[in-house]
Amino acid sequence: MPRILISGYYGFNNAGDDVVLYGIISSLRREQPNISLSVLSNQPARTTSLFGIPAYNRWRLSTIVRQLKQSDLLVMGGGTLMQDVTSPRSVLYYLGIVSIAKMLGKPVVFYAQGFGPILKSFSRFMIKQVVNHVNVITVRDYESGEDFKACGVTKAPIYVTADPALMIQPEDISTQRGQELLGRLFSDLRRPLVAFSVRNWKQEERFKQVIAKAADFFASRGWNVLFLPMHYPSDLAPSHEIISFMKEPGAKLLEMPVPFHDIMSVLKHCDYVVGMRLHSLILACVFQVPFTGISYDPKIDRFVERAGMPSAGHIRELKADSLLALLQERTGRLEEERQIVAERSRMLAREAMKSSELVLQALAGRK
């Protein structure tokens, strides 16, 4: 039985990265049901419990080497691993794993990667030196592929696919848990539901008051307004802050830590999503829920454009008048918006599936 080891930003209580891993596992097993999968994680026991596959300590070098020796292929799985804006160590960590795999003679596939920002010239140099030896690169948008090339990655084949979470089958996600959680927060679940997914970003603060006005827009029109943290607990503070700026009462925050399955179940109940977190928007697309993106990073703009939904612009230039006008226009034609996002969701799911097909081709090539 072929064995694949997956490496990425897993085990950090980030629902976005969890849904990426879930999408990778689901799609690979859809293509080859008997494949053996394992993953490197910051919390191996919790990751095993959530996903039902063996997970190993991502920080223990001896464990990483042993698992690579026992594997037939390494998948560098999803997200934006090649970035140094949060820490320069991130690029070095992932390139280190790729280098060990190649020294052991293992094929390596970059799976639906985003790219950047890369701020340091040393990071660019190392990407060029290491990633040119990768067997296959798939990227989640065209621009990420061009960014790899701009760093000097010209020898490894690059394919544009889409984010792994887009392969999640909506019918596989139960609505029951979401209904239970929402029932604890709202007295009337017959009202339309909007979810806001926000985060802190650097020293930016002004955007929070603008988002509060957007939340008031929905609340004043009789919507249930939910703030949904995608990264626990870091998203709680900005959510609380925005709610404190609101003038309309009744907005709720899903304050308790819940696994990504529950977050997906909640999003499946939504009628609209306003999101800064990329995977709040991707999951809205999966569940064919119209959305508006608020950008702090190019990855938001790139996905929103592919999904055919609007962006309110970057948080630095976010203006209440234009955001409210956009939301009024879009919520005034919800059925048309649902049709657009449903069509794009099906198209992007087909694109996303190509990553798994290329993984299995690389695995077959090794044999």
Side-chain angles (χ1 to χ4, degrees):
M1 181 186 300
R3 187 170 187 265
I4 292 176
L5 179 66
I6 305 170
S7 172
Y9 190 75
Y10 305 125
F12 291 92
N13 301 321
N14 188 316
D17 292 290
D18 284 346
V19 299
V20 163
L21 180 56
Y22 181 76
I24 292 172
I25 293 169
S26 301
S27 63
L28 285 171
R29 286 193 166 154
R30 207 174 301 144
E31 291 287 303
Q32 195 163 327
N34 297 321
I35 202 164
S36 174
L37 302 173
S38 57
V39 62
L40 300 175
S41 172
N42 184 56
Q43 299 180 75
R46 185 174 186 274
T47 299
T48 293
S49 174
L50 281 174
F51 297 96
I53 65 174
Y56 303 96
N57 191 329
R58 81 193 298 268
W59 302 115
R60 191 170 295 159
L61 180 60
S62 60
T63 298
I64 294 170
V65 173
R66 182 169 61 252
Q67 294 307 316
L68 283 169
K69 284 182 177 178
Q70 295 173 5
S71 298
D72 298 295
L73 182 142
L74 171 67
V75 163
M76 300 301 294
T80 308
L81 306 185
M82 295 297 102
Q83 60 85 21
D84 61 9
V85 70
T86 55
S87 167
R89 295 189 296 271
S90 178
V91 171
L92 297 179
Y93 171 81
Y94 293 115
L95 293 180
I97 293 177
V98 172
S99 298
I100 295 169
K102 297 310 294 183
M103 285 189 285
L104 294 172
K106 308 295 182 178
V108 178
V109 176
F110 274 33
Y111 195 114
Q113 285 290 299
F115 188 96
I118 295 291
L119 305 179
K120 300 186 180 299
S121 57
F122 182 70
S123 297
R124 292 183 175 274
F125 172 78
M126 291 304 299
I127 289 170
K128 178 180 178 180
Q129 295 303 309
V130 176
V131 180
N132 269 312
H133 298 285
V134 167
N135 297 74
V136 176
I137 299 170
T138 70
V139 291
R140 66 187 178 198
D141 50 64
Y142 171 80
E143 293 86 351
S144 293
E146 294 302 298
D147 288 340
F148 270 109
K149 294 174 186 176
C151 269
V153 178
T154 57
K155 297 178 182 177
I158 298 175
Y159 301 87
V160 179
T161 60
D163 192 279
L166 289 154
M167 291 176 285
I168 294 171
Q169 302 288 306
E171 59 269 20
D172 292 343
I173 309 304
S174 169
T175 58
Q176 181 178 350
R177 179 60 175 157
Q179 188 163 6
E180 291 172 3
L181 291 169
L182 292 168
R184 298 176 190 176
L185 295 171
F186 298 106
S187 59
D188 186 358
L189 295 185
R190 294 171 298 177
R191 293 182 173 186
L193 174 65
V194 59
F196 284 82
S197 171
V198 298
R199 61 166 297 165
N200 279 319
W201 184 247
K202 298 185 178 180
Q203 306 304 314
E204 300 294 332
E205 292 293 332
R206 190 185 60 81
F207 75 91
K208 295 174 184 176
Q209 297 190 30
V210 177
I211 293 177
K213 291 180 180 178
D216 279 331
F217 166 85
F218 285 99
S220 67
R221 285 157 176 77
W223 288 56
N224 287 331
V225 177
L226 174 69
F227 282 79
L228 185 64
M230 296 291 288
H231 194 176
Y232 187 90
S234 63
D235 291 353
L236 293 179
S239 298
H240 274 299
E241 196 172 355
I242 291 169
I243 291 172
S244 75
F245 292 141
M246 291 179 62
K247 296 179 179 178
E248 297 284 338
K252 303 296 183 182
L253 169 63
L254 186 60
E255 201 154 2
M256 59 188 287
V258 295
F260 74 98
H261 300 92
D262 291 357
I263 288 175
M264 289 196 291
S265 186
V266 167
L267 282 167
K268 199 171 180 180
H269 285 275
C270 290
D271 298 283
Y272 206 85
V273 170
V274 180
M276 291 176 65
R277 288 285 185 186
L278 174 63
H279 283 87
S280 69
L281 307 178
I282 289 175
L283 288 174
C285 185
V286 167
F287 298 128
Q288 302 178 7
V289 177
F291 62 84
T292 290
I294 297 175
S295 178
Y296 68 95
D297 184 283
K299 65 185 180 183
I300 305 294
D301 304 290
R302 293 170 182 180
F303 176 71
V304 165
E305 182 178 357
R306 291 191 81 184
M309 291 286 106
S311 170
H314 196 279
I315 54 172
R316 290 194 197 97
E317 289 83 42
L318 198 62
K319 291 181 173 57
D321 289 348
S322 56
L323 176 57
L324 296 181
L326 175 62
L327 293 175
Q328 184 164 7
E329 175 194 357
R330 296 289 171 154
T331 56
R333 56 182 201 197
L334 273 180
E335 190 53 45
E336 182 181 339
E337 295 290 287
R338 288 191 190 100
Q339 292 174 8
I340 293 170
V341 76
E343 181 181 344
R344 292 297 181 97
S345 177
R346 289 188 288 269
M347 180 271 288
L348 289 169
R350 290 192 296 270
E351 293 295 307
M353 201 66 206
K354 293 176 184 176
S355 291
S356 288
E357 294 167 1
L358 288 163
V359 167
L360 297 178
Q361 286 177 25
L363 194 60
R366 172 177 169 77
K367 293 182 179 180

